[in-house]
Every structure is written in C-alpha cells, then in structure tokens.
Amino acid sequence: MAKPNVNYGNLKQSYLFRDIATKVAAYKKAHPDRKVISLGIGDVTLPLAKKVVEALKAASEEMGKAETFRGYAPDQGYDFLREKISEHYKKRNVNVDISEIFVSDGAKSDLGNITEIFSRDNIVMIPDPVYPVYMDTNVMDGRKIIFADANKENHFLAMPDKRHADMIYLCSPNNPCGSVYSKAQLEKWVEYALKHNSVILFDAAYEAFITDDKLPRSIFEIEGAEKCAIEFCSFSKLAGFTGTRCAYTVIKKELILEGFSLRDMWVRRQSTKLNGVSYIIQRGAEAVFTEEGMKQCKDNIRYYLDNAKLISALLTEKGIYHTGGNNSPYIWMSCPNNLKSWEFFDLLLNETCVVGTPGSGFGHNGEGYFRLTSFGSRENTIEAVERLSKVL
Ligand SMILES: *Cc1c(COP(=O)(O)O)cnc(C)c1O
C-alpha cells in the first residue's frame, strides 16, 4: 500500500492572502465608488529593463536559426552568466568561483530543494516573523523547528542565543520586516555557526536594495562564512524577473560536513533533477550586468526605495515605531493604539481604503505589527500616504 508523506498533515494552512482578498472584495462591493489603494503588493510592478528585453529578443532569434540553435543548457548555468555573477561578487571583494555558482529558475525553488542535501535529524532555526517558505519546506520533511525571536528589542533582527541549531535561515534585507543585518551582527551568526557546526541558509533576494555601503550584501563578506553558509540570490527583485524566472545559489568549496562537500552534493542533486534554465532567460539575466542594464535596474529599485521613503517619513513624523523603509522595499510598522494586526487592517480599509498586510500572518511575533510595501506606483503611494496621515 502506498503511503503518503504524512508530514503534509502538519502544514498549517495559510489563509493570510486569501482572507485579505475576501475582505477587500467585500469592501469594494459595498463601496463601488471608492478607490482602494494597495500597499500590500509583494511583487514588482515596473517592466523589465530595455537592455534585458533586447537580449531576450536576440536570444529568441538565435534559437530560431540552425547555426545558433541550442538544446539543453548546462546543469549549473551557462559560463557567460556565471562569469558575470562572479564579477558582481568581486565588486564587493568576495571571491566566488564559477564552479560555486548554480543558476536556477528561482530562489524559492532552491530554498525549497536545498533541504534534500541535509539530514532530517537536523534542528532548524527560523526567525519569527518569517517568509513562510523556510518553515513549510522543513515541515514537509518532518524536521524539528525552533524559532529565533525577532522583536522590537532587537529591531526585528533575530540574534543567536544559547540554544543549538544545525540549520539556520536568515533573510537580509528581511521580508517581511525590512530590517538589514550589520556586518557585526552577521559576524555573530557566523561565529555561532562555526562553533555549532551548523549551516546558515542566507536569503539575499533583496541585496540590490541596499544603498548603504557599510551594510553587507552577501554573507560571504563575513570571514569564515565560506565554511558555514549557503547564499540564495535572485533576479526577481533585482531586475523584475518574478515572472521571467532566474536566480542563483552559491555554495563554496570550503563547506564540508562530515567529509561531504555540500557543493558536490548540490552538483549531483541539480544534475539529477534539473535540466538547466532556458538559454533565452540566461541571456536576459546576463544583460542585467551590462552597464546600461544595471543602471536601468537600479533606476527601478530607486523608484521603489523613494516610495518606501515617503511611507517611512510619514511614520517617523507621527512617531510610529517601524523598521525598514531604507535599503528595503518593506516597511514594518507597529499598529497604533495597541491595535491587533487585523483590527488595524479593518480600520485602514474602512477609514482610508488603503490595504496592507497584517503582521500576525508572518508569525507569532508579528501580532500588533503591519507590513506596507513600496511596489505600487508613485501616484498611489503619495495618495495612500496622504490618506494615512489623517488617521495615524
Ligand atoms: C521574492 C523573494 C525571493 C525570490 O524568489 P524567486 O523564486 O527567485 O522569485 C526569495 N526570498 C524572499 C524572502 C523573497 O521575498
């Protein structure tokens, strides 16, 4: 008799975005004349850079000609793209060999699949509040999970404590909290991981939003991280590739557990289960690293960051505690008057027709907090800020 993976029975249903959609739909039906503005958008909205579109078109043309047609892509990604990624790291004085770079269709898939090269006996440490992928993928595997508190005391940057963990998920700049680890803080995590022989799974999906040069964009800027960390990066937020799909993961050769090279294991895993990423898409991703392509991507990021600044400035003016809004597209605010996350959601929707995301949906420590995002248009962000200023 075939048995299912019963761990799936332990997954908690997330009703967060469904519940938001239901409430917004009911509100619109009752007030068809009012304009609802969403500051809850978790996806990029600006179109791909011109330079990227040109590269996608040119690569499509190549695929249509016998002389330039290409079949299966190399498992780890084309050298032309991995060389650009390696140079991108070099700008931060980080040495990453192209053999340590794995191109894939998304950071979410890599974050979800990476658990395959780890034992089920490992204890996993996950920050609370959290991006739900880290948690669900480990529940599916049946691993023991412990939580690292992110809260007002540590400005929503969880730090290590006395407890032992084998695998640690960190996300900086953080989704949902918008907070960014300093170099000194990441040094503490690396020190902890080396002492405990644990591995840090570092989600750097938002590294391109960091404008403060003192803040680390890569865990590999920290000495010793090559022996205890895996880094996940993506073109999704860097270059608007959420619908185009391209990402990369870095595992250094120095990362060895009980004689097993995790890099070699990941080579084996990917070559067994992945047939590479589309040539066309990898040419598009390569164009992100041209001078013109990068400038166009940075202009888009600047646009989102300026939106974030408008929201953050209002909260500062009103004396409302928040993290993010700087070096991040997210703003994580304390709900005024001790309101609970959903109470504040209802108040905002009913009194201002502005939608955000209740923090309680991201974990226990999110109760009493609320996530706003900067992925909307400038016009809508300005209007939303004006409306919010009347009720805060
Ligand atoms: C958007 C996002 C990613 C990127 O995932 P892709 O699959 O590459 O689109 C990864 N981590 C976090 C926290 C994100 O918000």
Side-chain angles (χ1 to χ4, degrees):
M1 192 173 73
K3 295 199 175 75
N5 178 351
V6 294
N7 292 319
Y8 277 63
N10 298 327
L11 288 167
K12 283 208 192 72
Q13 281 301 335
S14 173
Y15 298 116
L16 179 63
F17 291 99
R18 194 203 62 182
D19 289 351
I20 292 171
T22 307
K23 285 197 178 227
V24 172
Y27 182 85
K28 282 182 174 166
K29 202 169 169 203
H31 308 278
D33 51 317
R34 295 193 195 154
K35 178 185 167 192
V36 174
I37 298 178
S38 178
L39 290 184
I41 304 168
D43 194 353
V44 294
T45 50
L46 294 171
L48 295 174
K50 264 205 187 71
K51 198 77 188 166
V52 169
V53 175
E54 280 165 24
L56 292 171
K57 280 188 191 163
S60 302
E61 289 297 333
E62 282 182 53
M63 293 298 263
K65 291 188 196 111
E67 316 83 82
T68 46
F69 169 79
R70 309 222 185 186
Y72 287 123
D75 295 326
Q76 261 184 263
Y78 281 103
D79 285 3
F80 62 75
L81 177 55
R82 288 187 297 147
E83 271 155 18
K84 292 290 174 352
I85 294 167
S86 175
E87 284 165 25
H88 183 61
Y89 273 107
K90 206 145 280 158
K91 291 200 183 101
R92 305 285 302 172
N93 290 320
V94 173
N95 280 316
V96 174
D97 187 74
I98 68 163
S99 65
E100 298 167 327
I101 299 170
F102 298 80
V103 174
S104 78
D105 69 327
K108 187 174 180 176
S109 344
D110 284 359
L111 282 158
N113 295 329
I114 201 77
T115 57
E116 286 182 28
I117 63 171
F118 289 93
S119 163
R120 287 181 191 223
D121 300 333
N122 288 325
I123 297 171
V124 180
M125 184 180 271
I126 295 179
D128 169 10
V130 72
Y131 178 59
V133 178
Y134 316 147
M135 167 115 173
D136 287 353
T137 186
N138 281 292
V139 170
M140 287 170 182
D141 286 354
R143 273 188 205 87
K144 183 182 171 194
I145 297 171
I146 57 176
F147 293 98
D149 284 327
N151 49 37
K152 199 170 172 178
E153 282 82 71
N154 55 32
H155 297 288
F156 288 92
L157 290 166
M159 292 305 293
D161 51 41
K162 296 234 153 41
R163 295 171 300 162
H164 172 80
D166 303 298
M167 297 158 64
I168 301 146
Y169 286 83
L170 298 179
C171 179
S172 178
N174 190 269
N175 180 9
C177 305
S179 41
V180 187
Y181 280 113
S182 69
K183 210 159 176 204
Q185 289 170 321
L186 285 186
E187 278 165 3
K188 288 224 171 74
W189 274 114
V190 167
E191 190 188 322
Y192 172 96
L194 291 172
K195 190 171 136 208
H196 288 255
N197 290 316
S198 37
V199 174
I200 296 170
L201 301 155
F202 192 76
D203 185 343
Y206 295 94
E207 58 95 15
F209 282 77
I210 296 178
T211 53
D212 181 346
D213 256 348
K214 287 191 287 298
L215 294 171
R217 294 192 193 180
S218 163
I219 187 81
F220 298 119
E221 289 178 44
I222 311 302
E223 209 182 308
E226 66 283 355
K227 292 193 209 88
C228 65
I230 297 177
E231 178 153 286
F232 302 86
C233 296
S234 173
F235 292 90
S236 283
K237 316 296 164 31
L238 160 65
F241 269 50
T242 51
T244 311
R245 315 302 307 141
C246 197
Y248 55 96
T249 289
V250 175
I251 311 182
K252 301 283 294 173
K253 291 195 183 84
E254 292 89 341
L255 182 52
I256 312 279
L257 296 180
E258 295 180 3
F260 281 83
S261 153
L262 291 198
R263 188 209 79 97
D264 293 352
M265 288 172 78
W266 193 239
V267 169
R268 190 60 200 261
R269 191 272 171 206
Q270 292 297 74
S271 59
T272 303
K273 299 197 183 185
L274 183 80
N275 257 334
V277 173
S278 153
Y279 171 70
I280 299 165
I281 300 301
Q282 291 194 58
R283 280 295 186 199
E286 182 195 21
V288 170
F289 295 111
T290 58
E291 201 177 312
E292 208 184 323
M294 189 54 88
K295 191 194 164 292
Q296 289 168 358
C297 292
K298 292 278 172 180
D299 285 349
N300 287 356
I301 287 171
R302 188 74 257 165
Y303 181 91
Y304 298 134
L305 284 172
D306 286 345
N307 283 348
K309 212 185 268 173
L310 290 171
I311 300 168
S312 174
L314 171 74
L315 298 177
T316 304
E317 183 197 314
K318 299 281 181 182
I320 295 172
Y321 175 81
H322 62 286
T323 52
N326 227 334
N327 303 297
S328 162
Y330 298 115
I331 297 100
W332 179 255
M333 66 177 286
S334 170
C335 299
N337 306 318
N338 290 321
L339 289 179
K340 293 205 182 267
S341 300
W342 277 108
E343 289 169 349
F344 185 58
F345 176 93
D346 290 335
L347 177 132
L348 275 196
L349 180 60
N350 289 316
E351 295 192 11
T352 67
C353 307
V354 171
V355 176
T357 312
S360 54
F362 297 103
H364 182 253
N365 287 337
E367 183 59 276
Y369 286 86
F370 204 71
R371 190 188 77 171
L372 300 174
T373 78
S374 61
F375 290 121
S377 69
R378 178 64 39 80
E379 190 193 351
N380 280 349
T381 305
I382 290 172
E383 194 176 334
V385 165
E386 275 168 12
R387 292 187 196 173
L388 289 179
S389 75
K390 297 195 182 103
V391 299
L392 292 180

